C-alpha cells in the first residue's frame, strides 16, 4: 500500500516564518504606538508606590496636618482658573518623568578592557612582588582590582589613565627602579603615544596618563607679557598656572606658556639651547630676538654662517649680525666692555643716590648661534676663542641687564666653554633625545616618555631648579626662506622693527660702526656716567675693533652687518 504524502501546510515552513515575522512586526508597531501610555501607567504606578511609602514613613501625629495640606492644595487647584487642566498636565508630566526607561550606566570594564588590565598586572608582578611578603599585592594569578583603583579607556579600548598601588618596600626613590616600571607600562599600554608618570611616594601610588600633542600651529606674534618676561614656548595645562591669549588666523584661544624671566631678580638669567640639526634651535633664537626687540637691543652672533638672521640685519634695536671670527671677536669685546661700563655707571649712580640712567636699564641681549663653529675658525686663523669673551656678560649680566643665549648642536656640545656651562641655568633641549641625554643637559629626567614623532621646535625646558616641562616653540621661520609659508612669513615680517639702514644704501660686506662714548668729568667728582650713543655710520675697510677701557673714552666696534636686501 503506497504511503500518502502529508499535507503541504505541514511540510512547507514558509507560511509559518512569514506569520512569525508579521506577528513580531505587529507587536513592535503596537509597542511604539502604546509606548506613551505604557510610560504614563508605569510612572503613575511608581508615583503611587512612592506616595504610599512616604505615607507609611510619616509619623501618626503628622498625618493629619499632611492631609489638611493636601486637601488645601487640591481645593486651590480646583477653584483656580484652568486649575484642573494645569493640575492634570502636571500629574501627567510627573508620571512621564517617573516612568521613563532607566538605562543603568555601565560599571567596570568590559571583557577586552579587563583582559588588558590583567595582562598589565601580570607584567608588573616580577617588579612589585616580594618573597617575604605575607599578603602580597602582586602575585601570579592574583586579583588585579586590588592593585588598580582607577582606570579610563578611550573608544578604541586603549588605556588613557591608570592609577595603581605598589608595595611600600618598592624602591621608588631610585631612578633605575622607576625607569623599569615606566618602561613596562609604556610597552604594555601601547606605543606611539606620550605618557606622563606621577609618583606619589607618600601614598605609594603611580598615576599614568596619556598626554595630548602640543599645538604646533602657534605662529610668532606679540605675546601679552610684562617687561622682563619672555615666552619660550607652550606646554601642558597642568604644568603651569598661567595662560596667554594666542591667535591662530582669525580664531583666538588661551594656551599655557613657558615664561622665562630675566633681569636682576631672575634666578636663571642666561639660557642654553641644545638640539639636533633641524630641531628648531635657530627658530627659538629668532623668536627670542623678536620678543627682546620690544624693550631692548639685540646682538646676534651667527656661527653657522647660513644667513638665518638676515631679516634682522639693519633693523632698529639690532646692534649687529656677525658671522665671521673677526667681527664676532670685535662685537663680543664691545659687549664685555659695555657690561663693565653698565656696572660702573650703576655703581656711581647708587653712590650718588640717583636712579640708574636709562641707557643702562635698557636690556641688552647677546644671541650666539653655534659659537663653537666660530671657535674652530678663530683657532685656524690664530685668533682667540670668542666664547672667552662671553665670560664677563655671563658672570655680571644679571646686574647689568645683559642676557646671553647660546644655541648649539649636540655633536658640538663638548666644545662649549666652562663659563657657558656654569652660568646658563636655564636649559632647553629640542629634537629627538634619549632620557639620559635630557638628564645630562637639564639635570633631571623628564616625567614623560619620548614622543614617537618629534616636530620642529618640540622638546623639554627647565628653568633653574624648576620642573622639567614639555615645550613647543612658536613657529618663527626665516621670512626670506623660499620654503616658508605665506602666513608664517607675514607673521614674522609684521614683528620686525623698521630699518635704520636702508637696504639700497647698505652694500653687502660694508661694516657698520657702533660707537659708545663715556663722558668723564674733568674734576675728581663722580658723575652718573651717562653714555652717548652715536648713530651708525658706514666705514670702509676690514672688520676691526678698538676700545679704551670701561672707565672712559670711546668704545668703537666695527662689524660686518649685511643689509637684508643684499642677501641672496
Amino acid at each position: 500500500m503506497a504511503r500518502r504524502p502529508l499535507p503541504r501546510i505541514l511540510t512547507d515552513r514558509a507560511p509559518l516564518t512569514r506569520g512569525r515575522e508579521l506577528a513580531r512586526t505587529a507587536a513592535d508597531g503596537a509597542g511604539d504606538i502604546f509606548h506613551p501610555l505604557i510610560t504614563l501607567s508605569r510612572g503613575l504606578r511608581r508615583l503611587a508606590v512612592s506616595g504610599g511609602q512616604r505615607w507609611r514613613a510619616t509619623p501618626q501625629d503628622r498625618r493629619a496636618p499632611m492631609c489638611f495640606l493636601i486637601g488645601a492644595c487640591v481645593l486651590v487647584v480646583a477653584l483656580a482658573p484652568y486649575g484642573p487642566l494645569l493640575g492634570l498636565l502636571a500629574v501627567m508630566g510627573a508620571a512621564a518623568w517617573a516612568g521613563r526607561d532607566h538605562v543603568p550606566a555601565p560599571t567596570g570594564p568590559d571583557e577586552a578592557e579587563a583582559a588588558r588590565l590583567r595582562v598589565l598586572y601580570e607584567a608588573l608582578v616580577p617588579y612589585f612582588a616580594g618573597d617575604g611578603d605575607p599578603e602580597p599585592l602582586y602575585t601570579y594569578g592574583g586579583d588585579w582590582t586590588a592593585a588598580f583603583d582607577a582606570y579610563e579607556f578611550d573608544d578604541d579600548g586603549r588605556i588613557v589613565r591608570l592609577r595603581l598601588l605598589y608595595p611600600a618596600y618598592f624602591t621608588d626613590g631610585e631612578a633605575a627602579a622607576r625607569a623599569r616600571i615606566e618602561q613596562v607600562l609604556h610597552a604594555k599600554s601601547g606605543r606611539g603615544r606620550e605618557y606622563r608618570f606621577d609618583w606619589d611616594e607618600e601614598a605609594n601610588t603611580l598615576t599614568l596618563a596619556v598626554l595630548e600633542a602640543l599645538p604646533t600651529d602657534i605662529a610668532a606674534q606679540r605675546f601679552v607679557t610684562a617687561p622682563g618676561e619672555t615666552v619660550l614656548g607652550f606646554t601642558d595645562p597642568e604644568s603651569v598656572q598661567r595662560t596667554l591669549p594666542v591667535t591662530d588666523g582669525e580664531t583666538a584661544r588661551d594656551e599655557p606658556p613657558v615664561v622665562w624671566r630675566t633681569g636682576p631678580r631672575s634666578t636663571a638669567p642666561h639660557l642654553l639651547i641644545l638640539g639636533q640639526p633641524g630641531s628648531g634651535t635657530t627658530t627659538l633664537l629668532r623668536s627670542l630676538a623678536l620678543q627682546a626687540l620690544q624693550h631692548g637691543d639685540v646682538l646676534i652672533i651667527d656661527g653657522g654662517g647660513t644667513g638665518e638672521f638676515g631679516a634682522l640685519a639693519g633693523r632698529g634695536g639690532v646692534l649687529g649680525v656677525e658671522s665671521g671670527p673677526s667681527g664676532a671677536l670685535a662685537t663680543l669685546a664691545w659687549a664685555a666692555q659695555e657690561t663693565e661700563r653698565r656696572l660702573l655707571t650703576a655703581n656711581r649712580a647708587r653712590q650718588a643716590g640717583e636712579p640708574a640712567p636709562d641707557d643702562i636699564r635698557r636690556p641688552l641681549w647677546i644671541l650666539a648661534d653655534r659659537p663653537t663653529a666660530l671657535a674652530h675658525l678663530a683657532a685656524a686663523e690664530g685668533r682667540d676663542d670668542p666664547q672667552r669673551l662671553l665670560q664677563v656678560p655671563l658672570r655680571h649680566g644679571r646686574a647689568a641687564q645683559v642676557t646671553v643665549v647660546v644655541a648649539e648642536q649636540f655633536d658640538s656640545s663638548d666644545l662649549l666653554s666652562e663659563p657657558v656651562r656654569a652660568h646658563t641655568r636655564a636649559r632647553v633641549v629640542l629634537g629627538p633625545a634619549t632620557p639620559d641625554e635630557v638628564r645630562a643637559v637639564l639635570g633631571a629626567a623628564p616625567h614623560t616618555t619620548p614622543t614617537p614623532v618629534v616636530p620642529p621646535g618640540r622638546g623639554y625646558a627647565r628653568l633653574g631648579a624648576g620642573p622639567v616641562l614639555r615645550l613647543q616653540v612658536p613657529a618663527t621661520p626665516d621670512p626670506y626662506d623660499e620654503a616658508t609659508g605665506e602666513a608664517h612669513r607675514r607673521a614674522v615680517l609684521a614683528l620686525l622693527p623698521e630699518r635704520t639702514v636702508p637696504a639700497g644704501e647698505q652694500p653687502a660686506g660694508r661694516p657698520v660702526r657702533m660707537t659708545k662714548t663715556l663722558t668723564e668729568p674733568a674734576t675728581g667728582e663722580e658723575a652718573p656716567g651717562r653714555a652717548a650713543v652715536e648713530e651708525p655710520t658706514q666705514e670702509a675697510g676690514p672688520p676691526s675693533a678698538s676700545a679704551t677701557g670701561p672707565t672712559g673714552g670711546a668704545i668703537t666696534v666695527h662689524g660686518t652687518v649685511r643689509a637684508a636686501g643684499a642677501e641672496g
Side-chain angles (χ1 to χ4, degrees):
M1 181 177 179
R3 180 178 299 180
R4 300 179 60 182
L6 294 174
R8 184 177 179 183
I9 191 173
L10 297 178
T11 58
D12 191 0
R13 302 184 62 87
L16 296 177
T17 304
R18 287 196 300 269
R20 290 198 197 96
E21 291 178 354
L22 290 175
R24 189 179 297 109
T25 303
D28 294 340
D32 294 338
I33 294 173
F34 295 104
H35 181 71
L37 296 179
I38 296 173
T39 302
L40 290 176
S41 61
R42 184 168 57 241
L44 290 174
R45 179 177 58 83
R46 291 177 179 176
L47 290 177
V49 171
S50 178
Q53 294 176 354
R54 181 68 181 273
W55 176 260
R56 287 189 294 271
T58 304
Q60 294 289 340
D61 55 346
R62 294 185 181 180
R63 290 184 178 181
M66 181 180 291
C67 291
F68 177 76
L69 181 61
I70 294 175
C73 293
V74 172
L75 181 62
V76 170
V77 172
L79 296 179
Y82 303 102
L85 180 59
L86 294 177
L88 179 62
L89 292 177
V91 172
M92 292 295 102
W97 178 260
R100 70 189 189 281
D101 295 332
H102 295 280
V103 179
T107 58
D110 56 17
E111 277 188 38
E113 295 172 350
R116 184 181 291 271
L117 291 175
R118 175 168 293 280
V119 169
L120 190 59
Y121 173 83
E122 297 288 343
L124 294 174
V125 170
Y127 304 95
F128 285 149
D131 297 335
D133 192 352
E135 296 180 359
L137 184 62
Y138 288 83
T139 58
Y140 292 103
D143 185 13
W144 60 265
T145 58
F148 302 155
D149 59 348
Y151 41 83
E152 295 179 12
F153 293 86
D154 57 8
D155 297 337
D156 298 332
R158 305 177 71 185
I159 296 175
V160 296
R161 187 175 182 83
L162 175 66
R163 187 176 63 185
L164 57 89
L165 304 175
Y166 59 87
Y169 51 78
F170 175 72
T171 56
D172 52 4
E174 299 179 0
R178 288 189 177 194
R180 288 194 299 268
I181 300 301
E182 293 175 1
Q183 184 179 6
V184 171
L185 292 175
H186 182 203
K188 295 299 181 181
S189 299
R191 300 185 183 273
R193 299 183 296 176
E194 195 169 2
Y195 296 90
R196 180 184 180 89
F197 301 97
D198 293 324
W199 292 82
D200 188 356
E201 295 89 346
E202 185 177 0
N204 295 327
T205 61
L206 171 60
T207 302
L208 175 146
V210 177
L211 298 176
E212 297 182 358
L214 295 177
T216 59
D217 56 347
I218 301 178
Q221 54 192 281
R222 295 293 184 197
F223 299 113
V224 183
T225 56
E229 293 183 345
T230 306
V231 177
L232 297 179
F234 297 88
T235 184
D236 301 307
E238 61 272 7
S239 300
V240 294
Q241 300 178 354
R242 180 179 177 180
T243 58
L244 288 181
V246 298
T247 58
D248 178 17
E250 298 180 356
T251 61
R253 65 181 189 270
D254 292 339
E255 292 291 340
V258 179
V259 178
W260 175 40
R261 293 175 176 84
T262 59
R265 293 180 176 83
S266 174
T267 59
H270 306 297
L271 176 66
L272 175 62
I273 307 169
L274 291 179
Q276 302 289 349
S279 59
T281 56
T282 306
T283 298
L284 180 53
L285 284 182
R286 271 193 299 265
S287 176
L288 295 177
L290 293 178
Q291 297 180 60
L293 288 174
Q294 301 181 50
H295 308 287
D297 298 326
V298 175
L299 187 62
I300 300 175
I301 306 298
D302 185 9
T306 56
E308 294 284 345
F309 302 95
L312 295 170
R315 301 282 179 173
V318 181
L319 302 182
V321 179
E322 296 292 344
S323 58
S326 58
L329 286 171
T331 305
L332 292 179
W334 173 86
Q337 295 283 351
E338 174 65 11
T339 303
E340 295 176 353
R341 183 193 72 84
R342 291 185 175 214
L343 290 176
L344 292 175
T345 304
N347 185 30
R348 291 169 182 168
R350 284 193 297 268
Q351 291 180 0
E354 298 179 359
D358 294 338
D359 64 323
I360 68 172
R361 289 190 295 179
R362 182 173 176 82
L364 173 63
W365 288 68
I366 303 175
L367 308 181
D369 189 14
R370 299 196 64 190
T372 58
L374 288 179
H376 178 72
L377 295 177
E381 297 178 1
R383 299 177 181 269
D384 196 4
D385 187 357
Q387 296 184 78
R388 188 186 64 83
L389 299 175
L390 287 174
Q391 183 174 357
V392 175
L394 286 169
R395 181 173 297 177
H396 306 288
R398 179 170 60 177
Q401 294 282 353
V402 178
T403 302
V404 179
V405 181
V406 178
E408 192 53 73
Q409 296 180 1
F410 269 117
D411 54 2
S412 303
S413 60
D414 296 338
L415 301 178
L416 291 173
S417 62
E418 184 61 28
V420 173
R421 294 176 176 272
H423 295 284
T424 52
R425 300 188 67 246
R427 302 289 182 88
V428 171
V429 176
L430 297 179
T434 62
D436 294 336
E437 292 176 340
V438 176
R439 184 187 295 107
V441 177
L442 304 183
H447 297 289
T448 60
T449 58
T451 178
V453 179
V454 183
R458 175 69 171 80
Y460 298 95
R462 190 187 187 196
L463 306 179
V468 179
L469 305 175
R470 291 202 306 165
L471 179 69
Q472 178 62 51
V473 177
T476 315
D478 182 9
Y480 295 157
D481 190 356
E482 297 179 355
T484 302
E486 187 63 25
H488 288 169
R489 187 195 313 274
R490 293 181 179 179
V492 175
L493 292 176
L495 299 178
L496 291 175
E498 296 293 332
R499 288 191 178 275
T500 57
V501 179
E505 300 179 5
Q506 179 64 32
R510 299 294 295 255
V512 173
R513 177 178 179 179
M514 296 181 296
T515 303
K516 280 187 177 287
T517 304
L518 292 178
T519 305
E520 289 290 342
T523 62
E525 300 178 357
E526 292 183 355
R530 298 183 180 272
V533 182
E534 297 181 2
E535 292 295 331
T537 57
Q538 296 182 6
E539 178 179 343
S544 61
S546 61
T548 67
T551 58
I555 301 175
T556 306
V557 173
H558 302 274
T560 303
V561 182
R562 298 180 182 273
E567 297 201 7

